[in-house]
Amino acid sequence: CAHGVDHGLRPEASQELDLVEDLAAGLKVEFSRTRIQLEKGGNLQARARRARYQALRAAALRSGSALIATGHHADDRAETVLLRLLRGAGPRGLAVLAPRDKDMIRPLLGARQRDIAAHLRRHGLKFAIDPSNGDSRFLRVRVRQELLPALERLSPGIVRHLNALADQLLAMGPSSPSLLDEAGGALSLSRAHWDQIRRAQERGLRRARILLPGGRQVVMDPSTGLPHLATASLGLR
């Protein structure tokens, strides 16, 4: 089923959700909507996000849905990493927007915003753009319009790099200091190895072993499910 949330901030929002309802009807997908009224306070985007997720979880409960899929894409994730950096976040704070996070899934994380826009145009799908996405009063918008384009001019693959960083930090989990090499330094792994660790964690494979060059292995702690480098002192073969 599909569900739309009207934050009560713009009169156009109801008409925009009509587009979604029409598409859902054409696909024979059940559609519902919630109109919310935001609590007063600062940080409008944060308040809207909290209220939106509350509404989505309530809709999921009513429909008996186990998971909520959102439209976050690779650019959203890169922007969030940069926002956290600007606010002084450490490694755990940069592990943002996991592909699967409890009842949330984000199936479009591998796609750039421009890829999604091209898909919509190619298939003639109607869409609407929230004008707040261009409102420079919000720090996220300035990151989107100023910082990220500047970084892309210096490094065209920056969005991919920032997404890889978030993946690596997610794979390390809350106990990242334990993922050290034999000399006590940070263990250097390829993105492919981090992906294997992340998949093992997501699937609950607490006895998984990830083979590294040189015969080394990263193993998952059976009691905690967290990764660490296997050493002779652990009695592992």
Side-chain angles (χ1 to χ4, degrees):
C1 60
H3 189 82
V5 179
D6 180 349
H7 297 83
L9 298 173
R10 298 181 297 111
E12 302 86 358
S14 178
Q15 297 175 4
E16 293 163 2
L17 288 180
D18 289 344
L19 294 177
V20 185
E21 186 170 14
D22 290 344
L23 176 61
L27 296 172
K28 294 182 171 52
V29 171
E30 179 185 344
F31 176 82
S32 58
R33 67 178 79 192
T34 300
R35 191 176 193 277
I36 57 181
Q37 185 170 359
L38 296 180
E39 60 189 34
K40 295 182 179 179
N43 199 335
L44 175 62
Q45 290 190 327
R47 286 185 287 121
R49 182 168 54 251
R50 284 195 301 270
R52 178 167 63 252
Y53 285 141
Q54 288 175 358
L56 289 172
R57 288 191 167 99
L61 184 63
R62 290 193 298 271
S63 66
S65 301
L67 296 171
I68 300 169
T70 67
H72 292 104
H73 47 68
D75 295 69
D76 291 325
R77 199 181 194 196
E79 291 167 9
T80 304
V81 172
L82 292 174
L83 279 168
R84 296 287 182 88
L85 278 171
L86 292 173
R87 291 166 176 161
R92 291 184 65 180
L94 302 179
V96 299
L97 296 182
R100 169 78 183 266
D101 183 11
K102 298 178 182 177
D103 61 342
M104 307 293 298
I105 57 173
R106 301 178 175 98
L108 299 181
L109 275 188
R112 295 290 306 271
Q113 189 274 339
R114 63 193 180 205
D115 300 328
I116 297 170
H119 177 86
L120 294 173
R121 291 192 297 269
R122 184 181 305 121
H123 294 280
L125 296 171
K126 296 180 180 179
F127 61 93
I129 297 176
D130 186 338
S132 67
N133 289 335
D135 189 341
S136 60
R137 292 180 302 166
F138 302 117
L139 180 58
R140 177 179 289 274
V141 174
R142 295 200 295 276
V143 167
R144 178 180 303 142
Q145 294 181 341
E146 301 172 26
L147 180 56
L148 196 54
L151 291 174
E152 281 197 289
R153 288 192 291 271
L154 295 171
S155 174
I158 189 63
V159 169
R160 183 175 69 255
H161 301 332
L162 291 169
N163 275 262
L165 173 62
D167 279 336
Q168 292 169 11
L169 294 172
L170 280 165
M172 292 171 73
S175 64
S176 58
S178 67
L179 200 56
L180 306 176
D181 62 21
E182 296 87 345
L187 186 63
S188 178
L189 297 179
S190 69
R191 181 175 182 180
H193 288 129
W194 284 118
D195 287 343
Q196 291 179 51
I197 292 171
R198 176 171 51 80
R199 286 196 294 271
Q201 288 182 308
E202 290 176 349
R203 296 173 185 174
L205 304 178
R206 297 198 168 196
R207 296 189 179 276
R209 293 172 178 253
I210 291 85
L211 301 180
L212 306 179
R216 297 188 302 172
Q217 299 180 29
V218 168
V219 300
M220 313 303 287
D221 187 309
S223 61
T224 65
L226 297 171
H228 56 78
L229 183 66
T231 64
S233 63
L234 295 175
L236 296 170
R237 299 291 187 267

